[in-house]
C-alpha cells in the first residue's frame, strides 16, 4: 500500500488535507474540532516528575484523536496551578512531547494535537517572560519594537512545545469602564491595525504557507466589537451600526487577516442580536466571502454553550455555531456532540469537513506531521527581558509637567518620599493573564527609584492607603514623610492581580463584587461604573499635595482613570500603565532623566465617567459640552509631553486637488504627499511621534468623524535639530466605508493635519473631485 498523501510533505497542503479527510471517520472528524479539555487537567505532578492523567487518555480515546489542547502550561489562580504543581521552563518541552506522543501513538491516524497557550503579553506559563500589557504597548507607538518582542515570545512558546498563541489584538477601548481595556492597543482602529500587523509578522514570521519551528500560529482575539459593549460590561451586547462596525471594529481584524493571521477567536458579545460565535454574517459573509480568510475560527471559552438558550439543546447549539463558521471549540459540551448533529440532519457533514480541514491545514502549516515533537532549545530569556524593559520605558507617558521638577537628576541630593499603594508591588504592575512570578523577578517603582537615586539621596516609603476602599489610617505617616522630603513620588492607580481567594466564573473571568475585599480593579470581569481614583487614593493625593512638597504622580494602571484637574496639586503626572516586571526600573529611568519620556496616549483620558464616550474620533455632530463640565477629554488621544520643546511647521501638500479616480484600485496611482518640518527647540534630545490626521470637511455619504489617525512616524532629534517628515496620502488615508457597503475615496474636501496629538494639529486643505481635474 502506498504512503498516504497526507504524509508527503512535498504535496500542497490543500491536497494533503483532502487526502486525510477522505480517510477519517465521523468520530475522528468531531475529535479534530474539539478543544474541550483544560490542559492543566492533562497531567499531574508526582515525586518523580509529571505524568499524564487518565482523564486525558480518556479524552483522546473518545474522539480517536484531539484537535487541540488548551493551556497545558498555564498557571494562575483560576487554573489552580502554582509554582509547586505546574510546568516550569525546564520541563515544558518534555511534558508537551509526552502529550504529543500519546496522541500520535494511540490513535488510528496519528494526527498530532495543537497545543494552544495564552500569550497576551508574553507566555502565560511558569518562567514565561512577561511584556507590558497591550495598552502599554500601544502607548509606545512603536510597532517595530513590538514585532521583535512578539518574535521572541513566540520562540519561547514554541521551544516549550506550544504551537498556537492566543493574543488579544482586535478589541478597542471605546469604553474605559470595561475591565479588559488593558488587553487593547488603544481606542483607535488605525493604531490597533499597525500593532496587529506587527504581532502577526513577529509571531508567525514571513507570510507564506509554512510556519517555522521557531515561530507559532497566532489566533487574534476577539472578533468583533467586544470593546463597545453596552455600559462597558464584559460580554454584554453591542449596539453597532454596520458602518461603525467596519470603520472602527473590523479595521484591525482586516489588517491581521491581510498579514496572514492563522486564526481569529469569535467574541462573546452579540452583533445585531446574534452572538459572534453563531453569526454567519460576521464569520462567513464578511470574514470568508468578503475578505477571503482561509484560516480557522475558534470559539471563546464556553461561548458555544451559551447558544443553548437560542438553539434549545447542546446538539443544536453546536450545529448553529458550526454552520455560522466556528471551526474549533473551547471547553464547551456542545462540539463533542456534533456527530449527533450530523446524524440528526441539523448540520451537513460538508460543513464539518470544512472546519476539520482548517484545523488540519494549520497542523500541516506548522509542520507537525513531519516534526510532532519539540526541536527547539529554550532561548535565553535575557533578550526578551531587555525588550520588555525597553517597552516599559517607551510606554511611560508624561501627561502634565511644570517644566521644573523633572527630571529628578536636576535636583540637589536630599530626601525622596515614595508613597502609594502601587509603589512596592510587582504583581500590581504586570496585569491580568499572568503566571506566578519567581521570587526576585523584576521590581516595583520603589525598588527602581532606590536603585537609580544618586548617592546621598535618602528614599523613604509609606503605603499611605489601600488600593481600594477609604481607610485613611495610613495618611499621617505618608504626610509626615512627604512634608520632610524634597520631592514626593505618589504611585497610584489600579491592579489586575488575581489572588488565591479570587472568585471566578466558569470561563475564568474574575468575579469581583461590591464589598469584595479583593484589591482587583481591572482585568477580565472587573468592570467599573466610576473611573476616578478610589476614595483612599484621592484623599492621599489631597493630603500629600497639601504639604507643599512638589508631587510627582505616577499612575500604574490598565485603563485610563478619570483625572481631576491636578493643577496646583501635582508638579508632574505620568502614566506608567501595567509595564511588566521591569516597569519599576523603567519608571525610575524616566523620572531621573536616564531616559526621555516617549509615550503617547493610545486612549483618551476622561474627566469623569459621566462624560463617556470620550474617544477622540467620534462623529462630528457639532454638539457642545455639558452644562457642568466640558465634553472634551482631560488628556486627548496622542498626547504626551517630553523634557524638551518641539515645534511643528505648517503641513504642505504636493497637490491641492486630484480626482477620485486617482485612488481607484489599490491607490498606487495616487501621487499626493504631505510634508511637515519638525524642530527640537529645547535643550534635551527627543524621540517625537509625528502624527497625521484626516478630517472630512464636506462631501461623502456618511457623517464625518471629527478626525481620524492615518499615519505616524517617530523621529529622533538632537537639541536644535530639525527634520522633514513626509506622509503619503493614499487611498487608505482618505477612504471611508460608504453607504453602499464598500471602502472608497469619495469626492469632497479634506483637512490633512499634522501635529503631536489629536487635538494639536495644523491643517492643509485637500480636495477630491469627481473626475481628475
Amino acid at each position: 500500500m502506498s504512503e498516504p498523501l497526507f504524509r508527503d510533505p512535498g504535496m500542497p497542503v490543500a491536497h494533503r488535507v483532502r487526502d486525510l479527510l477522505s480517510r477519517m471517520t465521523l468520530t475522528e472528524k468531531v475529535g479534530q474540532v474539539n478543544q474541550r479539555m483544560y490542559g492543566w487537567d492533562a497531567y499531574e505532578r508526582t515525586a518523580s516528575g509529571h505524568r499524564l492523567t487518565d482523564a486525558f487518555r480518556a479524552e483522546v480515546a473518545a474522539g480517536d484523536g484531539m484537535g487541540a489542547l488548551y493551556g497545558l502550561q498555564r498557571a494562575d489562580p483560576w487554573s489552580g496551578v502554582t509554582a509547586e504543581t505546574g510546568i516550569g521552563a525546564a520541563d515544558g518541552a518534555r511534558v508537551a512531547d509526552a502529550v504529543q506522543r500519546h496522541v500520535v501513538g494511540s490513535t488510528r491516524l496519528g494526527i498530532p494535537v495543537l497545543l494552544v497557550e495564552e500569550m497576551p503579553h508574553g507566555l502565560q506559563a511558569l518562567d514565561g517572560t512577561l511584556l507590558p500589557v497591550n495598552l502599554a504597548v500601544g502607548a509606545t507607538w512603536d510597532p517595530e519594537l513590538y514585532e521583535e518582542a512578539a518574535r521572541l515570545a513566540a520562540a519561547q512558546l514554541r521551544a516549550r512545545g506550544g504551537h498556537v498563541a492566543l493574543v488579544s489584538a482586535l478589541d478597542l477601548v471605546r469604553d474605559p469602564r470595561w475591565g479588559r481595556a488593558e488587553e487593547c492597543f488603544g481606542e483607535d482602529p488605525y493604531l490597533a491595525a499597525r500593532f496587529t500587523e506587527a504581532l502577526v509578522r513577529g509571531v508567525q514570521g514571513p507570510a507564506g504557507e509554512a510556519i517555522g519551528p521557531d515561530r507559532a500560529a497566532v489566533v487574534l482575539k476577539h472578533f468583533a466589537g467586544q470593546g463597545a459593549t453596552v455600559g462597558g460590561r464584559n460580554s454584554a451586547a453591542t449596539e453597532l451600526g454596520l458602518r461603525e462596525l467596519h470603520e472602527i471594529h473590523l479595521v484591525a481584524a482586516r489588517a491581521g487577516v491581510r498579514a496572514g493571521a492563522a486564526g481569529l477567536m469569535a467574541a462573546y458579545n452579540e452583533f445585531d442580536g446574534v452572538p459572534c460565535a453563531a453569526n454567519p454574517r460576521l464569520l462567513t459573509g464578511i470574514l470568508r466571502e468578503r475578505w477571503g480568510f482561509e484560516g480557522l475560527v475558534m470559539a471563546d471559552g464556553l461561548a458555544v454553550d451559551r447558544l443553548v438558550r437560542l438553539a434549545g439543546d447542546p446538539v443544536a447549539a453546536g450545529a448553529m455555531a458550526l454552520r455560522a463558521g466556528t471551526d474549533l471549540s473551547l471547553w464547551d459540551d456542545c462540539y463533542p456532540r456534533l456527530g449527533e448533529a450530523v446524524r440528526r440532519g441539523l448540520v451537513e457533514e460538508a460543513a464539518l469537513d470544512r472546519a476539520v480541514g482548517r484545523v488540519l491545514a494549520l497542523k500541516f502549516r506548522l509542520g507537525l506531521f513531519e516534526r510532532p515533537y519539540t526541536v527547539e532549545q529554550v532561548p535565553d530569556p535575557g533578550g526578551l527581558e531587555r525588550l520588555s524593559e525597553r517597552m516599559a520605558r517607551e510606554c511611560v507617558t508624561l501627561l502634565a509637567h511644570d517644566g521644573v521638577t523633572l527630571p529628578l537628576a536636576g535636583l540637589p541630593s536630599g530626601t525622596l518620599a515614595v508613597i502609594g499603594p502601587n509603589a512596592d508591588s510587582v504583581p500590581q504592575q504586570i496585569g491580568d493573564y499572568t503566571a506566578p512570578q519567581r521570587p526576585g523577578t523584576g521590581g516595583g517603582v520603589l525598588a527602581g527609584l532606590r536603585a537609580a537615586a544618586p548617592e546621598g539621596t535618602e528614599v523613604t516609603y509609606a503605603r499611605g492607603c489601600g488600593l481600594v476602599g477609604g481607610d485613611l489610617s495610613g495618611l499621617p505617616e505618608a504626610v509626615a514623610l512627604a512634608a520632610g522630603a524634597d520631592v514626593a513620588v505618589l504611585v497610584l492607580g489600579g491592579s489586575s492581580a488575581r489572588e488565591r481567594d479570587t472568585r471566578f466564573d466558569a470561563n475564568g473571568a474574575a468575579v469581583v463584587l461590591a464589598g469584595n475585599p479583593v484589591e482587583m480593579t481591572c482585568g477580565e470581569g472587573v468592570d467599573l461604573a466610576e473611573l476616578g481614583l478610589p476614595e483612599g487614593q484621592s484623599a492621599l493625593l489631597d493630603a500629600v499635595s497639601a504639604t507643599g512638597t512638589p508631587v510627582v504622580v505616577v499612575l500604574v494602571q490598565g485603563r485610563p482613570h478619570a483625572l481631576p484637574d491636578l493643577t496646583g496639586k501635582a508638579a508632574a503626572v505620568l502614566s506608567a500603565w501595567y509595564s511588566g516586571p521591569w516597569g519599576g526600573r523603567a519608571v525610575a529611568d524616566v523620572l531621573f532623566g536616564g531616559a526621555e519620556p516617549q509615550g503617547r496616549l493610545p486612549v483618551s483620558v476622561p474627566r469623569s465617567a459621566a462624560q463617556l464616550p470620550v474617544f477622540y474620533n467620534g462623529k462630528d455632530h457639532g454638539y457642545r459640552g455639558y452644562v457642568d463640565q466640558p465634553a472634551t477629554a482631560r488628556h486627548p488621544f496622542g498626547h504626551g509631553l517630553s523634557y524638551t520643546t518641539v515645534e511643528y511647521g505648517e503641513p504642505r501638500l504636493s497637490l491641492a486637488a486630484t480626482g477620485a479616480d486617482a485612488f481607484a484600485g489599490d491607490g498606487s496611482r495616487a501621487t499626493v504627499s504631505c510634508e511637515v518640518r519638525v524642530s527640537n527647540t529645547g535643550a534635551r534630545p527627543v524621540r517625537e511621534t509625528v502624527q497625521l490626521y484626516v478630517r472630512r470637511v464636506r462631501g461623502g455619504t456618511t457623517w464625518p468623524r471629527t478626525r481620524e489617525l492615518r499615519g505616524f512616524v517617530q523621529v529622533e532629534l538632537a537639541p536644535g535639530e530639525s527634520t522633514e517628515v513626509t506622509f503619503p496620502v493614499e487611498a487608505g488615508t482618505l477612504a471611508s466605508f460608504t453607504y453602499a457597503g464598500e471602502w472608497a475615496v469619495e469626492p469632497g474636501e479634506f483637512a490633512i493635519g499634522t501635529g503631536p496629538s489629536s487635538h494639536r494639529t495644523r491643517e492643509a486643505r485637500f480636495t477630491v473631485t469627481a473626475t481628475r481635474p
Side-chain angles (χ1 to χ4, degrees), residues 464-466 470-478:
C465 67
D471 183 5
L472 306 182
S473 60
L475 259 63
E477 179 189 10

Side-chain angles (χ1 to χ4, degrees), residues 27 138 193 211 511 519 568:
T27 297
I211 298 174
V511 178
E519 291 195 339

